[in-house]
Amino acid sequence: MSTRKQLGEQIALVMQEVIASAVLTNERIARSIGLNVVDFQTYGVLLRHGAPMTPGQLAQATELPSSTTTRVLDRLEAKGLVERRPDPDDRRKTWVHAVQFSDARVDEAYDAILRQMGEVHARFSVAELQTVVRYLEEIKQVR
């Protein structure tokens, strides 16, 4: 029988492996379309947000320094993935809008990942999956 401490250590180790795998997978996918992983993930943050963000909001959401966020946005804008637009009510403020993007390489990679995840999910009960979701919702705030 495992103790809470042993299970915590096991979870920490497996999470490190999952994170490393995700980073490397996302790096491979980003490289396939000519982006680095930070730019690709920043674009993903903006897309998942579902609404325009200011550069400051994006820096806060990504925890990147504002100078780095500016360079990331410059590269994403050059690739046509974001547009910076002035705020119509406050010309000092700029809003960053994600431009919808589709690429067969990215679609195929994530389709394969989702298919494999679906196969894993099929081996768990709905109650178990609900517990996983609850755990991940809590743990995603850990920094």
Side-chain angles (χ1 to χ4, degrees):
M1 181 180 307
S2 296
T3 66
R4 181 177 293 273
K5 182 177 187 284
Q6 289 169 328
L7 285 171
E9 290 169 352
Q10 186 178 0
I11 288 169
L13 178 61
V14 172
M15 286 296 291
Q16 289 173 357
E17 293 169 344
V18 167
I19 290 166
S21 176
V23 167
L24 294 171
T25 296
N26 279 290
E27 173 65 27
R28 176 182 49 81
I29 294 167
R31 242 188 358 248
S32 78
I33 58 169
L35 292 176
N36 68 53
V37 73
V38 172
D39 295 1
F40 190 54
Q41 289 304 308
T42 300
Y43 176 68
V45 167
L46 186 58
L47 279 177
R48 285 187 300 277
H49 183 71
M53 299 173 78
T54 66
Q57 290 169 331
L58 194 54
Q60 186 175 14
T62 60
E63 298 185 22
L64 294 171
S66 60
S67 60
T68 301
T69 301
T70 298
R71 289 191 304 276
V72 167
L73 290 174
D74 289 346
R75 290 189 297 268
L76 290 173
E77 191 171 40
K79 290 275 189 182
L81 296 173
V82 300
E83 293 177 352
R84 292 175 172 130
R85 299 181 196 159
D87 186 305
D89 299 322
D90 182 351
R91 302 294 278 174
R92 297 168 295 174
K93 188 184 285 186
T94 300
W95 291 99
V96 180
H97 296 254
V99 175
Q100 286 301 314
F101 162 82
S102 183
D103 184 287
R105 294 164 293 192
V106 174
D107 295 343
E108 288 172 18
Y110 283 117
D111 286 348
I113 291 167
L114 291 174
R115 192 171 38 260
Q116 291 173 52
M117 288 176 70
E119 292 168 4
V120 171
H121 296 167
R123 298 193 295 265
F124 291 84
S125 70
V126 170
E128 289 171 322
L129 292 172
Q130 288 170 330
T131 300
V132 171
V133 169
R134 187 169 62 89
Y135 177 79
L136 292 173
E137 285 292 337
E138 292 288 331
I139 202 79
K140 76 180 181 183
Q141 301 305 320
V142 174
R143 300 276 188 269

